[in-house]
Amino acid sequence: NAGVMQNPRHLVRRRGQEARLRCSPMKGHSHVYWYRQLPEEGLKFMVYLQKENIIDESGMPKERFSAEFPKEGPSILRIQQVVRGDSAAYFCASSRGDNYGYTFGSGTRLTVV
Amino acid sequence: GESVGLHLPTLSVQEGDNSIINCAYSNSASDYFIWYKQESGKGPQFIIDIRSNMDKRQGQRVTVLLNKTVKHLSLQIAATQPGDSAVYFCAETNAGNNRKLIWGLGTSLAVNP
């Protein structure tokens, strides 16, 4: 069992470019959560998805950010027209949904220059 | 708003001593709590969890205590080892918030040899 896979591990983008972050949940997990972490801070919830559905996006900025979890393939967190304030570590967690167990990926560290 | 916070931002202990990391939460509806360990450049690693119908849970070298009366959570690490050096986060959730985790700021634990 490969665990939660996130890629890329590190991503550098210039201001105004698009960033795409990928998350493949653990086998058998159909629930995906995205979190953002700024340096020396705790994680902040962004969005909760199940296959083909956004369940809770209350933590997502209203503009430039979007997420999807298609029937096939990984979950994608997309940030359009990145700004320096988007620089952070983005973590994905998955669960089966039948209990409270979560498994986290190693994160994608986005740097906007 | 609802929040989870930590009393101590940093903790330094001698190898072999016991460590206690504290956490306060404010959402009385929270029914599930998790302690995570995060090493530099890595994702959160599950340590131990506890449900609100319990006040104590033990794992290997770790114990979590929950005091619902004062909304307080603690993590005890016995015989602290250099490998325990990391940032520790408490997180809380409940069935009413789509099981998203609300995180504290973190406590940095430094183990001196």
Side-chain angles (χ1 to χ4, degrees), chain B residues 50-83:
Chain B
I50 189 168
R51 297 189 186 276
S52 59
N53 60 353
M54 303 173 68
D55 54 21
K56 181 179 180 179
R57 190 154 189 244
Q58 289 183 292
Q60 187 177 13
R61 284 201 306 119
V62 293
T63 300
V64 55
L65 299 177
L66 175 63
N67 186 331
K68 294 181 289 295
T69 301
V70 295
K71 297 188 183 68
H72 184 267
L73 194 69
S74 69
L75 175 69
Q76 300 177 4
I77 305 173
T80 313
Q81 303 169 358

Side-chain angles (χ1 to χ4, degrees), chain B residues 30-63:
Chain B
S30 294
D31 61 3
Y32 181 61
F33 305 86
I34 313 172
W35 280 101
Y36 285 96
K37 173 185 179 182
Q38 188 177 29
E39 297 174 285
S40 180
K42 297 184 178 181
Q45 177 187 353
F46 172 91
I47 301 173
I48 193 168
D49 59 1
I50 189 168
R51 297 189 186 276
S52 59
N53 60 353
M54 303 173 68
D55 54 21
K56 181 179 180 179
R57 190 154 189 244
Q58 289 183 292
Q60 187 177 13
R61 284 201 306 119
V62 293
T63 300

